[in-house]
Amino acid sequence: MSRHAHHPQEGPPAGRARAAAVPGPIPAERPGDWHLDEHGTRRVSVVRAAHERFVVSGDDPGRQVRPIVADSWRRSRRVGVDPEMPTPPVDVAGSDLAELRSSHPLSGAVPTVRRLLVEPGPGWVAALSDESGRLLWVDGDRAVRRELDGVGFVEGAAWREDAVGTNALGTALATRRPLQVLGTEHWARVVHPWSCAAVPVHDPEGRMLGVLDVTGRDDAASWMALALVRATVAAVEATLTAGAGAPPGARLGVLGTQGGTLHTPAGRRRLTCRHAEILLLLAEHPAGLRGDELAVLLSESELSEVTVRAEISRLRRLVGPLLSESRPYRLTAPLRTDVDAVRDALAVGDVAGALSAYAGSVLPRSTAPGVERVRATVQDEVRAATLASGDPGLVARWTASDPGADDWEAWQTLARVAPIGSAAHLRAHTRLAQLNRTLR
């Protein structure tokens, strides 16, 4: 990673062209927009000093570090990632990796990625991961690749944020947004010489399939690197859409702080909390709901059918033919939500995939009884599957989440399953002691 990477005051375009069937991503936060000196040079020494203080004493980095990076540092510290010796797990190799790669939906993306990001000969390595952060394919500059082998950036390794700390691929997976991570913004010191840019890849229905990343030094530190990765992801997603044989319908995002977003072939629209509640409840009840049934699911207090009808009328003006004109109120086509992606992963025992898809609570601001029921059910199912897995990495990921932070049973499970003496084991016992003092 270049310590003298120059960033213009005006970075890359906030959005990127994508296939018409796939909505635009959340804009990336550009490193060049944060803490430039009068020459436009990234203040690497400031970030390095902030990193050192935070690692050693936990001093908050404040405005010395971009918010998306500072938040990632906090998660990395909270889950117990060792900044000196990160150990990305390599849990699949050889024929197992080849089979996993060939069966993954992104298997057909490799020629496109190679043509756009590798064959032009930039001094970086390109990598495609699956939805759990496992590197399925790595290729690029041979010298750079040999050096990256030494820090565990190899096919089959899981570069999740909870395993190696802040890095573009893992943090893009955790935040579900494109970003660059430069030099000392990385959590692990062994990665400080490198820069990386990463963009999530989605299928035509909006489900995250994995992340595309480039890692290198000066070339990867430029804002142009992120622009090229964005363009390549757009090409990959266009191919996926064409291969689907038919344009997808709408998709509703309800998880986490970005919950309440409707994605359609025409673009992305933020919804009011009430409209998001109605669409979620109708998606959960495909046979439809009468006005009185919807009223009960929307409010504990008495809600008149006239009020419901007025909200439905306003919502119909936004979503058009997606919402039927007749009663009971129902959707005219299946509406997938990001909750469905979590359920799909749990249904096949893919706990890692479920955790990756679970971006946060269902519509966290909603107090609608029907939504609260969905929220509690999904959270309980993810939690139960995670604790039952007995996998230290997965349990640690749960304890790093908002609902897991004060989950005494989860921390107790982590203390039991984590290797004795490991950072996760010590962190679990420390947190248990804190929770026990609080509960007294």
Side-chain angles (χ1 to χ4, degrees), residues 60-132:
D60 193 277
R63 289 189 53 80
Q64 303 301 316
V65 178
R66 291 186 291 144
I68 195 170
V69 172
D71 288 344
S72 177
W73 285 2
R74 295 183 188 101
R75 291 192 298 271
S76 301
R77 180 183 175 90
R78 182 166 142 190
V79 78
V81 179
D82 188 344
E84 302 296 340
M85 295 292 291
T87 53
V90 182
D91 54 4
V92 61
S95 59
D96 291 335
L97 175 61
E99 181 179 354
L100 178 65
R101 183 164 47 209
S102 64
S103 63
H104 194 274
L106 288 178
S107 60
V110 171
T112 300
V113 174
R114 182 177 283 119
R115 184 178 72 253
L116 297 177
L117 291 180
V118 177
E119 290 178 2
W124 61 41
V125 160
L128 266 173
S129 83
D130 64 11
E131 64 280 4
S132 69

Side-chain angles (χ1 to χ4, degrees), residues 17-388:
R18 297 183 66 172
V22 182
I26 300 170
E29 184 173 359
R30 298 168 294 181
D33 291 340
W34 198 259
H35 278 290
L36 303 176
D37 64 16
E38 65 274 16
H39 304 294
T41 302
R42 188 83 171 89
R43 293 174 58 189
V44 176
S45 60
V46 173
V47 178
R48 182 186 298 112
H51 178 271
E52 186 68 19
R53 290 193 301 271
F54 185 75
V55 166
V56 173
S57 60
D59 289 350
D60 193 277
R63 289 189 53 80
Q64 303 301 316
V65 178
R66 291 186 291 144
I68 195 170
V69 172
D71 288 344
S72 177
W73 285 2
R74 295 183 188 101
R75 291 192 298 271
S76 301
R77 180 183 175 90
R78 182 166 142 190
V79 78
V81 179
D82 188 344
E84 302 296 340
M85 295 292 291
T87 53
V90 182
D91 54 4
V92 61
S95 59
D96 291 335
L97 175 61
E99 181 179 354
L100 178 65
R101 183 164 47 209
S102 64
S103 63
H104 194 274
L106 288 178
S107 60
V110 171
T112 300
V113 174
R114 182 177 283 119
R115 184 178 72 253
L116 297 177
L117 291 180
V118 177
E119 290 178 2
W124 61 41
V125 160
L128 266 173
S129 83
D130 64 11
E131 64 280 4
S132 69
R134 183 186 294 110
L135 302 185
L136 299 177
W137 173 84
V138 179
D139 198 4
D141 184 275
R142 291 184 179 180
V144 173
R145 188 170 179 182
R146 281 195 299 270
E147 289 187 78
L148 288 174
D149 285 350
V151 298
F153 197 79
V154 298
E155 292 177 349
W159 273 71
R160 301 185 310 271
E161 192 182 73
D162 65 275
V164 295
T166 307
N167 70 95
L169 191 153
T171 304
L173 194 67
T175 61
R176 311 177 79 80
R177 63 187 292 181
L179 80 157
Q180 270 180 298
V181 174
L182 306 183
T184 50
E185 290 182 331
H186 287 91
W187 177 251
R189 290 189 175 94
V190 295
V191 200
H192 281 184
W194 303 97
S195 291
C196 44
V199 177
V201 186
H202 300 84
D203 71 5
E205 294 185 347
R207 290 171 296 195
M208 187 186 295
L209 298 177
V211 175
L212 177 60
D213 170 275
V214 295
T215 296
R217 298 189 190 274
D218 287 354
D219 288 345
S222 166
W223 67 261
M224 184 60 72
L226 183 58
L228 288 172
V229 178
R230 283 180 180 274
T232 304
V233 168
V236 168
E237 291 177 339
T239 302
L240 293 171
T241 299
R251 178 175 60 87
L252 179 65
V254 295
L255 292 174
T257 56
Q258 294 299 315
T261 304
L262 182 66
H263 305 267
T264 71
R268 179 174 58 180
R269 181 186 293 274
R270 286 290 295 171
L271 302 171
T272 66
C273 186
R274 179 63 84 201
H275 286 167
E277 291 168 346
I278 292 172
L279 285 180
L280 173 62
L281 292 171
L282 292 178
E284 293 284 307
H285 298 82
L289 292 167
R290 299 191 311 271
D292 59 333
E293 293 173 326
L294 190 53
V296 169
L297 293 173
L298 286 172
S299 177
E300 288 186 345
S301 59
E302 187 173 343
L303 193 66
S304 72
E305 289 192 50
V306 173
T307 301
V308 172
R309 188 160 58 247
E311 287 289 356
I312 289 287
S313 179
R314 284 190 284 268
L315 179 57
R316 189 177 285 119
R317 287 197 291 270
L318 291 176
V319 303
L322 180 63
L323 195 53
S324 70
E325 295 282 351
S326 60
R327 301 180 197 172
Y329 303 120
R330 62 181 180 82
L331 300 172
T332 58
L335 176 62
R336 280 195 60 87
T337 71
D338 42 9
V339 168
D340 293 323
V342 176
R343 289 169 173 159
D344 290 347
L346 291 175
V348 296
D350 182 7
V351 181
L355 280 171
S356 296
Y358 187 63
S361 299
V362 175
L363 295 177
R365 293 188 297 114
S366 173
T367 58
V371 172
E372 290 181 332
R373 190 175 307 133
V374 175
R375 181 190 302 147
T377 300
V378 174
Q379 180 174 307
D380 289 348
E381 288 176 352
V382 173
R383 176 184 182 275
T386 302
L387 300 193

